[in-house]
Amino acid sequence: MKIYKAYKFRLYPNKEQQELINKTLGCTRFVYNTMLYEKETTYKEKKITKQKFDCIKELPILKQTYPWLMEVDSIALRTTIFDLEDAFKNFYRTKNYPKYKNKYSKNSYRTSYVKNNYKNKIYENIKLDIINKTITLPKLKNMKIRGYRKTKEIKGRIISATVSKEINRYYVSVLYEEELEEKNIVPTKVVGIDLGIKALVITSYGEKYENKKYITKYENKIKNLQKWLSKKEKGSKNYYKVKNKIKEIYKKLKNARKYIIHKITKEIVNNNDLIITENLQIKKLIERKEMSKYISDASLSEIIRQLKYKSKWQNKHFYQIDTYYPSSQICSHCNIKNKKIKDLNKRNWTCSNCKNENDRDINAAINIMWEGLINNIKLFI
Ligand SMILES: [Zn+2]
């Protein structure tokens, strides 16, 4: 089985390299927009959908007309055409029409790995040295990178590298393909997971992973600044200052969330062999409005996404209950459904049948564990 892993590093280009990166970002945007325009006009005039290989054939002509395109990585320009094709594929599926890119669009370009044998010398256009923390990219010579401090080796082969610019920082994300040996693990540790309101994740072992304090700190800071912003004169110097500040904290908040979620999902997958969760879409439909506000939080679907792929990476089992299952209303002690348990703010409730005092979230996680276990009995035989 082939799996793909992306490693994102902070990139430290010198002034000259920065200029070339900026130029490449501009050129790939130009090619993207030009090809999008060409596609649209060809369709309007001839009712023909231009395919990506038609566009690639036109690239040399475009370069002759605009010689400055030749100054940048030619593979990145070609990859842009593939990205445009993907944007159209996405449009047929989701009805989101590809947009023209401007300076404020996502600022990144992608280049593919190429290996050549020239006069008995191997030439690679992307080279990553994880020990000395340097990277070589097409047209750009060695650059310092930072990240993955403890990593001494990356397994697999490089597929592509994406260079991005966020405010005034540069990043490179390197995509690796790794061949994974498939093993059939008979589960010995099973865990049920409830995704919650106050705690992000609650396990059937009774562990609760809360949103960290600094997350709340960032959220409050943003709230306060937004209040402040509403009092400022729109378009004034101070207005933009505050706006940028908000942007900055948002980025910090995003990174902090990402870090916490990675930590949680890594721990859960490392410690268990069969991981069982609910289906968020179904949960959203059945639980109250109050709950759906939290479920729409991207963090929860991100947790599920990570549990899924991290389980796969370790040959572990991931199972999502895909039918309606009233996990918060069933008493995990006697299995009787308590219809009255609907108040989501109530942390504990007493079972009307066995009189057991249930912690709302842990009780739900235990029920999820049992439901998943019953559906996966075949794994144990
Ligand atoms: Zn009970």
Side-chain angles (χ1 to χ4, degrees), residues 331-336 338 349 351-356 358:
C331 168
S332 59
H333 270 245
C334 68
N335 228 9
I336 292 290
N338 287 244
W349 55 274
C351 174
S352 59
N353 180 48
C354 71
K355 307 290 177 240
N356 189 64
N358 289 316

Side-chain angles (χ1 to χ4, degrees), residues 141-154:
K141 287 189 195 92
N142 253 4
M143 283 176 285
K144 275 234 154 295
I145 49 174
R146 210 166 78 185
Y148 300 91
R149 215 157 30 95
K150 291 175 195 157
T151 310
K152 294 270 174 284
E153 191 201 347
I154 298 177

